[in-house]
Amino acid sequence: MIACMTKPVRARSFDAIAAAYDAHRPTYPPALFDAVEDLAGRSLAGARVADVGAGTGLGTARLYERGARITAVEPGDGMAGQFRRSLPDVSLVRGDGNGLPLRTGSMDLITYAQSWHWTDPARSVPEVRRVLRPGGALALWWNDSDRTVEWLVDQEDRTRVFLGVEIPAVPSHRARFRAQLPDGLDFRTRQVAWSRRVPIDAHIANMATHSDFLIGDPVEVRDYFDRERALLTALFPDGEVEEAYVVSLAVAHP
């Protein structure tokens, strides 16, 4: 169903739907940022933080609320434009993790909210080491659907069949998370469970912002979402679903 496309092309597919991304993607729970502070060994308040691959600022906004002195880094035109509309008071520079447009030794913390997998670790890890101050930390995290929730497991499995992706034999968040971490860094990890209740149409709109669907055949994708909407409406006649998530966090001091 999905055409073969390079990682940069897939990453830039978000630019065309930046407003929908900002409106429908889930944010992150307060407990995640408590865990970041715990594993990084310092408060976010007053910390110099680079949020890389910031997108529309969903993670950046939570860091800013904690009192961090933020510099957001985002390569995409559409995402950067939405970021500036959403967070006009936060510093934003254009670039990516493979070549950070930041001074050497200038940051206490570098964060990647749902974006590390778009980098080339052979380039992004040395950039992290260059930009961090002595004792600084790198924090990576991903929001994933909670695969202990039956309806979400069923939906993810249907999605994988539609996309032609193998269904995992063991629904382990930790195994999938560990596979995304770069070698050579000593990470401490934490997982945070949380949920949000949204209308079915908002849930479908959230799904539609993922790159696999953005680069798919529009007719096939629309038909798939029509089927999903019908299934969910039958399953949840009140018209709302409880999206359950597990945020997987990893923090290292490179």
Side-chain angles (χ1 to χ4, degrees):
M1 294 293 180
I2 299 301
C4 180
M5 303 183 79
T6 65
K7 185 182 287 189
V9 171
R10 289 172 66 93
R12 295 299 178 86
S13 66
F14 299 116
D15 283 321
I17 52 90
Y21 187 106
D22 193 56
H24 298 297
R25 278 290 184 105
T27 182
Y28 305 99
L32 170 65
F33 300 96
D34 295 338
V36 170
E37 291 181 325
D38 183 30
L39 297 183
R42 66 158 299 151
S43 172
L44 287 168
R48 289 296 304 272
V49 179
D51 188 31
V52 187
T56 65
L58 295 175
T60 317
R62 305 290 82 80
L63 293 162
Y64 184 63
E65 289 168 358
R66 290 280 182 132
R69 299 162 63 193
I70 297 281
T71 298
V73 180
E74 170 55 40
D77 292 341
M79 300 294 265
Q82 183 62 47
F83 182 102
R84 289 191 174 100
R85 288 187 288 274
S86 300
L87 296 169
D89 296 328
V90 177
S91 175
L92 172 68
V93 296
R94 304 300 299 281
D96 62 42
N98 295 329
L100 291 171
L102 303 169
R103 295 192 313 275
T104 298
S106 61
M107 294 293 162
D108 300 307
L109 178 67
I110 297 176
T111 60
Y112 280 82
Q114 206 95 354
S115 59
W116 177 262
H117 54 286
W118 298 116
T119 76
D120 173 5
R123 300 166 64 192
S124 55
V125 170
E127 280 293 272
V128 165
R129 289 184 167 129
R130 178 184 67 80
V131 170
L132 282 177
R133 292 172 174 169
L138 168 67
L140 319 176
W141 65 81
W142 286 267
N143 237 348
D144 291 306
S145 294
D146 187 342
R147 284 187 60 85
T148 67
V149 177
E150 184 177 2
W151 78 266
L152 286 170
V153 174
D154 291 344
Q155 181 174 78
E156 183 172 322
D157 289 348
R158 288 192 302 271
T159 298
R160 285 175 172 270
V161 170
F162 172 72
L163 298 174
V165 178
E166 182 180 355
I167 296 174
V170 179
S172 169
H173 289 289
R174 187 169 295 278
R176 292 194 294 173
F177 173 48
R178 282 287 182 182
Q180 298 183 83
L181 300 181
D183 295 329
L185 295 179
D186 184 17
F187 284 102
R188 296 173 64 198
T189 63
R190 189 82 50 89
Q191 294 193 304
V192 178
W194 71 287
S195 66
R196 66 173 188 171
R197 190 165 183 82
V198 297
I200 289 170
D201 282 345
H203 174 71
I204 296 293
N206 170 25
M207 294 178 67
T209 66
H210 289 259
S211 61
D212 285 330
F213 294 114
L214 296 175
I215 64 174
D217 178 270
V219 174
E220 293 180 353
V221 168
R222 185 174 62 250
D223 288 347
Y224 172 76
F225 285 140
D226 285 346
R227 294 194 299 272
E228 280 301 304
R229 186 177 291 103
L231 283 169
L232 294 178
T233 299
L235 191 60
F236 302 103
D238 66 350
E240 291 191 337
V241 297
E242 186 82 15
E243 292 180 344
Y245 293 98
V246 175
V247 187
S248 296
L249 167 69
V251 176
H253 292 81

